[in-house]
């Protein structure tokens, strides 16, 4: 089953008349002969975007690599003096630092917890949405969209307040409605509890994207196939495994991969919920690199940590790229 | 999102449907609660906000919080900064990505695959990891504390995704439409602007909301790059409500509500198109 089957839940009019033919070869190949006239035109068209991307992404990436082999501090930054080359010193220092590994482990655990919760909730909600009444679906969609469009900073402020020890609604509900003793409880003293709240913001913010995307994918599963499978005696689990899952798999994998990348780089939520000065036990990789660079004024250390982050993610990245390219090939 | 599945319900399905509706309503409550809390707190009197006994419903409604928020220094300049930066970034990103998407969607040329790879790869680079070199680069170019520095970064950071998404729409428009326009005397680009461009509207709507949300909500880069009080964007300005003495939640919620309104309105307008844009453009590719 190809990912090209995943079409819009509500496709623009033009797509209706042009259902995609999925075959071993792209069917339009023949009509796309290289044209002699205007052979330069496509290059002119991509030039502005290419230059912009190179300037803002590629060059800084090169710069990150260069900096990580130097020792750039505040003085070099302001005076433009050439920074001394230090070889692999930054890397050996970072990799030999126990604190760095604590941060790596914390980042991975936090990412995994957030991704798993987001995907489970997102898929569950998408499947429930498919089966509920129209009015309930509209109501839920409205809430999802409202949550989605809420700025990160706003969402974070609200969750911070929810968890406020004195004036937070969370302690109130736990104490008054559930009879637990949470009066004046500070959720951020213990970083595990603190990360539960932060994870709440992350998952709450990510669920709408995942749910709506997976719901759109689910609408592409042929109803007749599901019916046929259940007539043939497949249980709910069987129908899901053999009929539903193969269709939504490419979209699911892609959304999951994106979530991994996003949750690995969670920054704003922690930074803001801890009032711009997170304690060391709240450091995730992005924050750690930021602190090294801007607070310890060791820009090279910050760059080296960033580079290690990119390398750690590149495993996932390759997977994501393969998925996207596979989908991109079907045109 | 308007797809409903009309089907004949068997009795056991009806019972299930009730169960699913209940689950859906619970999810609705959880997803909507922070939004509800935001709006309700903005309208609550301060005595209730600073209360050890939080209630789920306000006892009375007041606009004091909004007044305090609006009277906060630099509110006007923050709106101005955010508008200048976001509008420029979104419009610029849409122009650049539309023409690039047209190129990779319509032409086969050497280097096309490589360019598409670049579009994908740069999406994987964590923005926070790029912050330091970008900061240094802007410093070298004199872009610190300037609108154009922030605008450029916002514009380019949405460019790859927007291009990829719009490309999905370009390839779904039958080539024959353009060809017949060209037979009728349009130039290649003329055909693009008159025939293709209007049909790209849903793709542009979806891409522009992404671009807008990205720029409107971005916080860290603006915080690091902009240094003058009167250049702060709304998000950086919001930090004024958090002081060492505590957080003025009432005013913060009121200000947050005001800031969220433009995005929500824009979202509502393009939401329908956006849902299709997401799946047909980005996911299907």
């Amino acid at each position: 089953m190809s990912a090209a089957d995943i079409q819009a839940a509500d496709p623009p009019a033009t797509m209706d008349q042009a259902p995609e033919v999925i075959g071993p070869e792209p069917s339009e190949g023949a009509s796309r002969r290289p044209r002699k006239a205007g052979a330069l035109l496509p290059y002119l068209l991509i030039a502005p975007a290419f230059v912009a991307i190179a300037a803002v992404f590629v060059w800084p990436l090169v710069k990150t690599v260069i900096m990580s082999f130097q020792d750039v501090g505040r003085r070099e930054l302001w005076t433009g003096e050439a920074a001394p080359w230090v070889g692999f010193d930054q890397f050996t220092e970072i990799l030999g630092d126990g604190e760095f590994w604590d941060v790596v482990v914390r980042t991975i655990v936090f990412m995994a917890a957030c991704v798993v919760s987001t995907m489970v909730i997102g898929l569950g909600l998408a499947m429930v949405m498919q089966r509920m009444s129209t009015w309930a679906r509209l109501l839920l969609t409205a809430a999802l969209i409202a949550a989605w469009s809420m700025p990160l900073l706003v969402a974070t402020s609200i969750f911070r307040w929810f968890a406020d020890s004195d004036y937070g609604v969370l302690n109130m509900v736990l104490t008054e409605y559930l009879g637990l003793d949470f009066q004046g409880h500070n959720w951020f003293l213990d970083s595990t509890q603190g990360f539960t709240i932060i994870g709440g913001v992350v998952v709450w913010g990510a669920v709408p994207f995942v749910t709506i995307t997976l719901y759109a994918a689910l609408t592409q599963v042929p109803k007749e196939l599901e019916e046929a499978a259940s007539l043939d005696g497949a249980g709910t689990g069987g129908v899901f495994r053999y009929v539903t899952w193969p269709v939504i798999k490419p979209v699911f994998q892609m959304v999951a991969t994106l979530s991994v990348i996003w949750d690995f780089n969670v920054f704003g939520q922690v930074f803001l919920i801890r009032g711009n000065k997170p304690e060391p036990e709240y450091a995730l990789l992005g924050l750690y690199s930021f602190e090294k660079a801007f607070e310890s004024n060791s820009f090279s250390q910050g760059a080296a940590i960033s580079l290690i982050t990119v390398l750690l993610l590149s495993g996932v990245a390759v997977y994501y790229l393969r998925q996207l390219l596979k989908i991109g090939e079907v045109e | 999102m308007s797809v409903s599945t009309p089907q004949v319900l068997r009795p056991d399905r009806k019972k299930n449907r009730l169960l699913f509706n209940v689950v859906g309503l619970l999810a609705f409550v959880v997803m909507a609660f922070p939004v509800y809390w935001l709006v309700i707190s903005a309208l609550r009197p301060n005595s209730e906000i600073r209360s050890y006994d939080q209630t789920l419903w306000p006892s009375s409604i007041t606009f004091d919080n909004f007044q305090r928020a609006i009277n906060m220094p630099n509110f006007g300049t923050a709106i101005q900064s955010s508008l200048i930066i976001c509008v420029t970034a979104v419009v610029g990103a849409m122009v650049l990505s539309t023409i690039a998407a047209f190129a990779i969607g319509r032409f086969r040329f050497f280097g096309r695959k490589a360019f598409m790879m670049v579009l994908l790869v740069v999406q994987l680079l964590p923005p926070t990891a790029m912050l330091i070199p970008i900061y240094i680069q802007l410093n070298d170019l004199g872009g610190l504390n300037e609108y154009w520095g922030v605008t450029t970064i916002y514009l380019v950071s949405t460019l790859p995704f927007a291009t990829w998404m719009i490309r999905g729409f370009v390839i779904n428009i039958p080539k024959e439409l353009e060809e017949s326009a060209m037979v009728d005397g349009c130039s290649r680009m003329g055909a693009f602007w008159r025939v293709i461009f209007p049909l790209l509207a849903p793709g542009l709507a979806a891409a522009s909301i992404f671009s807008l949300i990205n720029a409107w909500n971005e916080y860290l880069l603006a915080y690091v790059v902009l240094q003058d009080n009167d250049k702060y964007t709304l998000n950086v300005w919001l930090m004024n409500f958090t002081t060492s003495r505590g957080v003025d939640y009432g005013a913060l919620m009121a200000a947050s509500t005001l800031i969220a309104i433009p995005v929500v309105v824009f979202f509502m307008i393009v939401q329908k198109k956006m849902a299709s844009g997401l799946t047909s453009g980005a996911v299907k590719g």
Side-chain angles (χ1 to χ4, degrees), chain A residues 81-148:
Chain A
E81 253 175 64
W85 292 92
V86 296
F88 283 95
D89 282 7
Q90 305 288 6
F91 290 97
T92 44
E93 196 179 321
I94 291 163
L95 297 175
D97 183 358
E99 196 193 346
F100 171 76
W101 291 106
D102 288 348
V103 173
V104 171
V105 170
R106 188 182 301 136
T107 308
I108 291 175
V109 170
F110 178 73
M111 177 273 288
C114 287
V115 171
V116 170
S117 325
T118 309
M119 295 312 294
V120 167
I121 296 173
L123 180 61
L125 274 189
M127 294 185 70
V128 169
M129 261 174 97
Q130 233 193 342
R131 289 166 174 81
M132 59 197 194
S133 313
T134 310
W135 62 267
R137 181 165 49 240
L138 287 177
L139 210 56
L140 181 55
T141 309
L144 289 174
I145 285 170
W148 194 358

Side-chain angles (χ1 to χ4, degrees), chain A residues 9-10 20 32 43 59 64 131-133 151 153 161 167 172 204 215-216 261 265 306 317 324 327 331, chain B residues 3 17 21 31 41 50 54 105 108 110 112 120 124 126 129-130 133 137 167 217 219 238 271 276 279 284:
Chain A
D10 198 356
E20 292 216 278
R32 286 203 179 150
Y43 295 104
W59 174 238
T64 307
R131 289 166 174 81
M132 59 197 194
S133 313
L153 184 117
W161 186 18
Y167 313 119
M172 185 277 282
W204 179 82
Y215 175 73
I261 294 167
N265 288 300
S306 302
L324 267 185
I327 292 169
E331 287 172 8
Chain B
V3 179
R17 176 143 296 186
N21 284 346
M31 293 311 294
S41 309
R50 289 255 158 221
Q54 291 288 325
R108 297 265 159 189
F110 179 76
R112 174 175 165 277
L120 295 178
L124 303 171
M130 306 297 287
Q137 194 66 25
R167 168 189 156 275
N217 293 349
Y219 166 75
L238 270 190
Q271 171 288 103
S276 59
T279 44
K284 185 177 68 64

